[in-house]
């Protein structure tokens, strides 16, 4: 599905605490209904057009699922292309989040061109023939430089340790001031005891298949764990330290996203599996993509073969569904908030929501229980 408009979070409060959370969803577009009866290629065109959030990841998931639903498994070239497109999306969405949602106006006024360059380089790399290694290395060096300038300007060489310790020197027109602030205000807020989904996409899909999630219609897919950067970066010493020291808080989750974007740009490929697909039965398959916000699941059932194949059924489970709409852990994080006044509640709630899902359009309303 896709949403038109903003989600609304109604926080019921009593005695300076949140006692309950109601999520009001905006109008839904049943994307799955738009692709039934169409060919896979027609579906790909629709996905590219209709998804404003993470369109490259959505298209990668669709291509992998449809390929696995045919007689042959997805070839390695397709897997590599989908992995790379998703990898670029992690960088693009991450830099956009920190530049637009976190940094101040002075940051954008001085570094807007660099942000534009990041987006342009990601698009150029995505369209570059996969075997053009020389040009790829050249473009990637430029991308890495732009991302470092955008995100790390103002930090010391020991930026990761500084984020862990909270010893961040601030510099005007940089993100260091934002992290210095939230190190003081968000390290104890938004705590939740959620287990982290750290298994590989292949393992997760196989486990879901063994549970029989696709035996009946509609497909019953549940992911009872927190996904996204905090789960994927939990192996990093600084992130592991924050999880052990502070717990899974707003600060811990936002720092994990920051680390992942820099890791993606610096290491050329993230050191873990990010995409996978599994065949469920003749004509049916599922794919999983570890995208910028969390895990994205596509399932498809095809009728016919080859060029005559049409989509009989389709299902999409987005990171917003998993980490926000269906997540008891998300509600627990909001219900852990303590506040002095309405402004403090609004600020803490907004940080909490962004730490779970940075791309969600939303508004927050408080009311007495």
């Amino acid at each position: 599905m896709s949403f038109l408009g903003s989600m609304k979070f109604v926080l019921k409060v009593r005695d300076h605490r949140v006692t309950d959370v109601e999520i009001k969803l905006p109008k839904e577009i049943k994307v799955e209904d738009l692709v039934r009866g169409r060919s896979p290629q027609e579906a790909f065109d629709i996905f590219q057009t209709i998804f404003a959030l993470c369109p490259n990841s959505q298209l990668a998931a669709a291509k992998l699922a449809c390929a696995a639903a045919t007689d042959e498994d997805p070839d390695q070239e397709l897997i590599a292309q989908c992995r790379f497109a998703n990898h670029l999306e992690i960088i693009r969405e991450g830099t956009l989040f920190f530049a637009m949602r976190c940094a101040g106006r002075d940051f954008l006024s001085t570094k807007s061109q660099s942000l534009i360059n990041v987006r342009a380089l990601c698009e150029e790399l995505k369209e570059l023939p996969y075997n053009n290694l020389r040009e790829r290395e050249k473009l990637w060096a430029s991308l890495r430089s732009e991302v470092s300038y955008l995100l790390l300007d103002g930090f010391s060489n020991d930026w990761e340790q500084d984020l862990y310790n909270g010893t961040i020197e601030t510099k005007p027109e940089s993100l260091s001031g934002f992290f210095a602030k939230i190190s003081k205000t968000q390290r104890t807020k938004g705590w939740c005891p959620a287990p982290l989904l750290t298994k590989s996409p292949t393992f997760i899909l196989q486990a879901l298949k063994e549970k029989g999630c696709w035996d009946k219609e509609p497909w019953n897919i549940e992911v009872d764990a927190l996904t996204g950067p905090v789960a994927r970066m939990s192996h990093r010493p600084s992130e592991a330290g924050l999880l052990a020291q502070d717990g899974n808080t707003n600060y811990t989750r936002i720092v994990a996203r920051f680390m992942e974007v820099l890791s993606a740009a610096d290491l050329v490929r993230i050191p873990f599996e990010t995409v996978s697909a599994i065949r469920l039965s003749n004509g049916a398959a599922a794919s999983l993509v570890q995208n910028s916000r969390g895990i994205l699941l596509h399932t498809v059932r095809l009728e016919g073969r080859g060029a005559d194949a049409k989509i009989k059924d389709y299902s999409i489970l987005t990171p917003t569904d998993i980490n926000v709409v269906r997540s008891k852990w998300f509600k627990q994080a909001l219900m852990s908030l303590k506040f002095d006044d309405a402004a403090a509640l609004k600020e803490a709630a907004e940080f909490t929501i962004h730490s779970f899902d940075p791309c969600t359009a939303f508004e927050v309303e408080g009311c007495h229980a």
Side-chain angles (χ1 to χ4, degrees):
M1 76 176 76
S2 186
F3 294 120
L4 281 179
S6 299
M7 300 175 70
K8 188 172 185 178
F9 299 92
V10 180
L11 310 182
K12 298 180 180 180
V13 301
R14 181 189 300 138
D15 299 329
H16 302 283
R17 296 187 67 103
V18 179
T19 60
D20 197 10
V21 179
E22 181 184 0
I23 303 175
K24 296 183 178 180
L25 299 177
K27 181 180 179 180
E28 297 179 12
I29 298 177
K30 292 291 186 180
V31 180
E32 298 91 333
D33 292 343
L34 299 179
V35 301
R36 290 189 180 96
R38 299 180 182 271
S39 70
Q41 184 56 56
E42 289 174 320
F44 302 156
D45 294 338
I46 289 172
F47 291 148
Q48 276 191 300
T49 302
I50 205 165
F51 281 110
L53 299 180
C54 305
N56 294 326
S57 299
Q58 294 282 2
L59 183 59
K63 286 183 175 180
L64 288 169
C66 288
T70 61
D71 292 339
E72 298 180 4
D73 291 332
D75 60 40
Q76 291 303 307
E77 183 177 355
L78 176 61
I79 292 173
Q81 289 173 347
C82 290
R83 183 187 296 119
F84 190 65
N86 179 61
H87 188 105
L88 291 170
E89 193 118 271
I90 288 174
I91 298 170
R92 186 179 68 84
E93 291 290 342
T95 53
L96 187 64
F97 167 68
F98 286 110
M100 301 297 290
R101 299 287 183 96
C102 302
R105 291 183 179 179
D106 289 342
F107 180 93
L108 280 176
S109 65
T110 58
K111 298 186 176 179
S112 58
Q113 185 57 53
S114 186
L115 181 61
I116 292 170
N117 292 344
V118 167
R119 294 173 65 86
L121 285 164
C122 285
E123 285 302 308
E124 195 171 352
L125 277 161
K126 186 185 73 172
E127 299 300 327
L128 189 70
Y130 202 73
N131 58 358
N132 192 342
L133 298 180
R134 179 175 295 182
E135 185 65 17
R136 184 180 298 277
E137 289 176 2
K138 177 183 174 182
L139 292 173
W140 199 277
S142 298
L143 178 60
R144 182 167 58 245
S145 176
E146 294 285 3
V147 171
S148 296
Y149 170 65
L150 271 171
L151 302 188
L152 287 180
D153 183 32
F155 285 90
S156 74
N157 291 333
D158 296 322
W159 60 271
E160 196 168 338
Q161 192 64 37
D162 290 340
L163 288 171
Y164 171 71
N165 293 330
T167 54
I168 307 165
E169 296 182 6
T170 62
K171 175 186 175 182
E173 302 167 359
S174 79
L175 275 167
S176 59
F178 165 77
F179 279 100
K181 175 187 175 181
I182 67 171
S183 177
K184 296 175 182 176
T185 62
Q186 300 298 319
R187 293 188 81 137
T188 61
K189 289 189 171 65
W191 178 84
C192 75
L196 301 178
L197 192 64
T198 57
K199 302 296 185 182
S200 71
T202 297
F203 182 95
I204 296 166
L205 286 175
Q206 187 61 45
L208 289 172
K209 182 178 180 179
E210 290 174 1
K211 287 181 181 178
C213 296
W214 292 284
D215 289 345
K216 298 179 181 179
E217 293 186 28
W219 287 314
N220 179 30
I221 308 169
E222 294 293 339
V223 180
D224 191 20
L226 188 62
T227 73
V230 70
R232 297 191 293 256
M233 291 286 103
S234 59
H235 68 283
R236 293 279 289 252
S238 295
E239 184 65 12
L242 283 173
L243 285 165
Q245 175 181 275
D246 299 347
N248 190 349
T249 66
N250 290 347
Y251 184 74
T252 299
R253 292 188 289 270
I254 291 173
V255 167
R257 190 172 303 280
F258 191 70
M259 289 181 183
E260 181 171 64
V261 177
L262 288 161
S263 296
D266 186 51
L267 298 178
V268 181
R269 63 175 182 273
I270 298 175
F272 51 75
E273 183 186 5
T274 56
V275 303
S276 186
I278 189 171
R279 195 158 184 213
L280 305 172
S281 61
N282 288 336
S287 66
L288 188 152
V289 172
Q290 291 268 17
N291 81 352
S292 177
R293 296 178 293 138
I295 68 169
L296 171 67
L297 278 159
H298 279 224
T299 54
V300 64
R301 180 174 285 121
L302 299 177
E303 281 186 324
R305 299 168 66 86
D308 296 326
K310 302 292 182 183
I311 293 172
K312 179 182 179 183
D313 205 358
Y314 209 99
S315 179
I316 300 173
L317 187 61
T318 68
T320 301
D321 288 319
I322 296 170
N323 284 345
V324 176
V325 177
R326 303 186 183 194
S327 175
K328 64 181 180 181
W329 313 110
F330 170 74
K331 288 188 175 182
Q332 284 188 21
L334 287 172
M335 290 171 64
S336 73
L337 297 177
K338 300 177 184 178
F339 57 94
D340 295 325
D341 53 42
L345 170 61
K346 182 177 176 63
E347 181 183 49
E350 288 177 347
F351 263 110
T352 303
I353 296 165
H354 276 144
S355 72
F356 277 87
D357 192 333
C359 301
T360 299
F362 65 87
E363 55 182 304
V364 175
E365 177 184 301
C367 64
H368 291 288

